[in-house]
C-alpha cells in the first residue's frame, strides 16, 4: 500500500480513502500496524482541527436518534460531520451488529456526513482501541465536528473523555431515582448533560429531571477548565429537533472559552501523553501473547490451579524469573548496564 498516496487522498477529502484508512488503523496485523503508523506520520502536522465531541448514555436513551438530528442540523449549517459509533461486541463470538448506520438513515445519505461503526471488541470503556487514530484521520479529511458515540455508561466509559474536547452525557427522563441514574465518576467528567425525549407526555418530566441534575452539578467541585455556569444540564428532543441549536451554541461557547484560556490546547497535550502511555502498556501486554510467554504462564497457571502457588505469588514468579520470555534481551541489557 502506498501510504503517502493514501494520505494525499485523505487530505483531499476522499471518503473512500478515509474509510480504507480507518480499516487499516483498526487492523491488528503487524504489517497493517506498521503501515498505519506510516500513514499517520504522513498526516501529522496537517494543521486541521475538528471539534471532538464524545457522547455517552445508557442504552435506549436515544443516542442514535439524537446524533442523526444533531448531525443534520450541523450539516444544514454547512459543517462537515463525522460520526464514529462504537458497537458492543459479543464476549463469546467477538462479533458486532454494527447497526448504527442503519439507524441514522437520513444522516447516512447526507454528503457532508460520514458514519463509521466500529466494534468495541474487548477494549475497556466501550471505545475501540483505534478510535483515537480514526479521529485523527477524520480531522485530516477536513471534518469540522467529530462525534464519538460510545457503548453505554459505566465507570470505565470515562476513557472517551481522553479523546474528546467536549463530553456530553445523554439521559432520559423518568428513569426512576434520577440522581442514581449514573455514577458520580461520569457526572464529574461531563461538560454537559442533555436530557433527551423532552417532548409529549414526557416534557414536564424531562424538565424536572433537568432541574435535578442542574442542582447536582452545582454541588460538584468546580473544575479549572470550566467557565461560570458549566457544566450545565439542558433538555433536548431529538424527535422534535427542539433544543439542539441551543445545545450547539453552548458547546461552541464552552469550546471558545477553553481555546482563549489555554485549556483547550493543554487538554489535547495531556491526551497525547495519556495515549502514549496507553500504547506502551498495550504493547507490554501484547508481549504476553508470544509462544514463550504463554508457555511460562500456562505452567504457573497449573501451579495456581493445583493450589501449590497463590495467584500473587505466581505473578511475582512470572515477573521476576520469566521476564525475558515477555521482553527478550531486557535481562541482558539490564545486567550490562
Amino acid at each position: 500500500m502506498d501510504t503517502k498516496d493514501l494520505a494525499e487522498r485523505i487530505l483531499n477529502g476522499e471518503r473512500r480513502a478515509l474509510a480504507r484508512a480507518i480499516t487499516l488503523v483498526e487492523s491488528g496485523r503487524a504489517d497493517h500496524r506498521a503501515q498505519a503508523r506510516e500513514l499517520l506520520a504522513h498526516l501529522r502536522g496537517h494543521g486541521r482541527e475538528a471539534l471532538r465531541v464524545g457522547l455517552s448514555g445508557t442504552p435506549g436513551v436515544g443516542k442514535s436518534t439524537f446524533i442523526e438530528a444533531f448531525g443534520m442540523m450541523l450539516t444544514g449549517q454547512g459543517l462537515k460531520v463525522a460520526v464514529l459509533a462504537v458497537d458492543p461486541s459479543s464476549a463469546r463470538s467477538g462479533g458486532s451488529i454494527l447497526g448504527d448506520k442503519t439507524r441514522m438513515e437520513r444522516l447516512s445519505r447526507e454528503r457532508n456526513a460520514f458514519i463509521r461503526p466500529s466494534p468495541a471488541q474487548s477494549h475497556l470503556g466501550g471505545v475501540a482501541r483505534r478510535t483515537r487514530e480514526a479521529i485523527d484521520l477524520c480531522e485530516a479529511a477536513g471534518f469540522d465536528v467529530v462525534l464519538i458515540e460510545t457503548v453505554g455508561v459505566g465507570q470505565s466509559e470515562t476513557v472517551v473523555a481522553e479523546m474528546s474536547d467536549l463530553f456530553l452525557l445523554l439521559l432520559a427522563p423518568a428513569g426512576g431515582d434520577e440522581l442514581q441514574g449514573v455514577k458520580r465518576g461520569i457526572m464529574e467528567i461531563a461538560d454537559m448533560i442533555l436530557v433527551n425525549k423532552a417532548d409529549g407526555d414526557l416534557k414536564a418530566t424531562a424538565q424536572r429531571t433537568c432541574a435535578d441534575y442542574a442542582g447536582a452539578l452545582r454541588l460538584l467541585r468546580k473544575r479549572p477548565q470550566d467557565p461560570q455556569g458549566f457544566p450545565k444540564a439542558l433538555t433536548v428532543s431529538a424527535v422534535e429537533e427542539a433544543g439542539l441549536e441551543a445545545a450547539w451554541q453552548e458547546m461552541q461557547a464552552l469550546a471558545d472559552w477553553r481555546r482563549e484560556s489555554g485549556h483547550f490546547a493543554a487538554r489535547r497535550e495531556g491526551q497525547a501523553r495519556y495515549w502514549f502511555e496507553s500504547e506502551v502498556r498495550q504493547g507490554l501486554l501484547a508481549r504476553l501473547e508470544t509462544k514463550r510467554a504463554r508457555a511460562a504462564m500456562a505452567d504457573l497457571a497449573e501451579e495456581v490451579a493445583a493450589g501449590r502457588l497463590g495467584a500473587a505469588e505466581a505473578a511475582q514468579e512470572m515477573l521476576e524469573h520469566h521476564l525475558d520470555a515477555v521482553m527478550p534481551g531486557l535481562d541482558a541489557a539490564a545486567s550490562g548496564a
Side-chain angles (χ1 to χ4, degrees), residues 115-132:
I115 304 174
R116 174 71 182 217
S118 299
Q121 299 174 340
S122 60
H123 303 307
L124 188 67
V127 179
R129 182 180 171 191
R130 300 300 171 187
T131 300
R132 175 186 54 84

Side-chain angles (χ1 to χ4, degrees), residues 6-323:
L6 185 60
E8 290 175 357
R9 289 166 55 200
I10 291 170
L11 291 171
N12 288 331
E14 291 188 27
R15 297 165 66 94
R16 185 171 293 181
L18 175 59
R20 186 181 181 190
I22 293 177
T23 300
L24 178 67
V25 301
E26 287 180 346
S27 174
R29 276 176 42 176
D31 57 334
H32 287 175
R33 288 306 306 149
Q35 290 177 337
R37 289 192 293 270
E38 193 176 294
L39 172 64
L40 292 166
H42 288 314
L43 292 172
R44 192 173 299 120
H46 51 71
R48 296 174 179 175
E49 183 180 87
L51 183 64
R52 307 170 183 175
V53 181
L55 181 72
S56 189
T58 51
V61 76
K63 291 192 297 293
S64 297
T65 307
F66 171 81
I67 289 174
E68 179 172 55
F70 188 62
M72 290 298 293
M73 182 201 70
L74 294 178
T75 56
Q77 297 179 6
L79 298 173
K80 294 183 68 178
V81 179
V83 179
L84 301 176
V86 184
D87 264 18
S89 298
S90 167
R92 300 178 69 179
S93 68
S96 293
I97 297 174
L98 301 179
D100 293 85
K101 200 166 184 176
T102 62
R103 294 199 299 268
M104 304 178 197
E105 187 178 352
R106 286 190 303 149
L107 191 61
S108 64
R109 295 198 300 263
E110 179 63 42
R111 66 177 298 179
N112 282 331
F114 176 83
I115 304 174
R116 174 71 182 217
S118 299
Q121 299 174 340
S122 60
H123 303 307
L124 188 67
V127 179
R129 182 180 171 191
R130 300 300 171 187
T131 300
R132 175 186 54 84
E133 293 174 346
I135 293 171
D136 290 339
L137 294 172
C138 291
E139 219 166 31
F143 285 91
D144 302 298
V145 181
V146 180
L147 300 173
I148 308 108
E149 179 197 358
T150 63
V151 173
V153 170
Q155 286 290 349
S156 60
E157 198 74 0
T158 57
V159 71
V160 73
E162 294 297 341
M163 60 176 71
S164 57
D165 302 314
L166 302 178
F167 178 66
L168 310 182
L169 183 58
L170 200 64
L171 299 174
D177 187 350
E178 304 299 355
L179 297 185
Q180 290 295 323
V182 292
K183 298 291 186 183
R184 180 185 172 95
I186 294 286
M187 292 274 289
E188 288 176 333
I189 65 167
D191 295 307
M192 290 179 62
I193 290 178
L194 302 179
V195 181
N196 194 23
K197 304 184 180 181
D199 48 60
D201 295 338
L202 287 175
K203 187 170 185 177
T205 307
Q207 290 172 341
R208 288 195 300 271
T209 302
C210 182
D212 288 340
Y213 278 107
L217 290 172
R218 284 194 291 270
L219 296 176
L220 296 178
R221 183 179 302 170
K222 183 169 174 57
R223 307 177 304 183
Q225 69 268 32
D226 292 331
Q228 189 64 35
F230 282 90
K232 60 175 57 180
L234 301 172
T235 57
V236 294
S237 170
V239 173
E240 295 182 352
E241 300 184 1
L244 301 180
E245 180 65 41
W248 174 235
Q249 289 176 1
E250 295 288 0
M251 291 179 216
Q252 289 178 297
L254 178 57
D256 290 344
W257 184 88
R258 287 181 175 172
R259 287 190 181 98
E260 292 168 4
S261 61
H263 288 294
F264 195 94
R267 180 64 178 158
R268 287 208 171 184
E269 289 171 5
Q271 288 175 347
R273 293 188 183 95
Y274 172 90
W275 288 108
F276 159 68
E277 293 171 1
S278 176
E279 283 296 319
V280 172
R281 287 192 294 270
Q282 293 288 346
L284 289 173
L285 287 173
R287 296 295 182 95
L288 292 174
E289 297 303 316
T290 62
K291 187 175 181 179
R292 286 183 61 195
R294 284 200 303 269
M297 290 275 285
D299 291 341
L300 288 168
E302 286 292 331
E303 295 292 306
V304 173
R308 291 187 289 270
L309 278 177
E313 188 181 0
Q316 190 67 23
E317 171 80 12
M318 179 72 190
L319 294 173
E320 287 187 353
H321 302 291
H322 300 280
L323 187 60

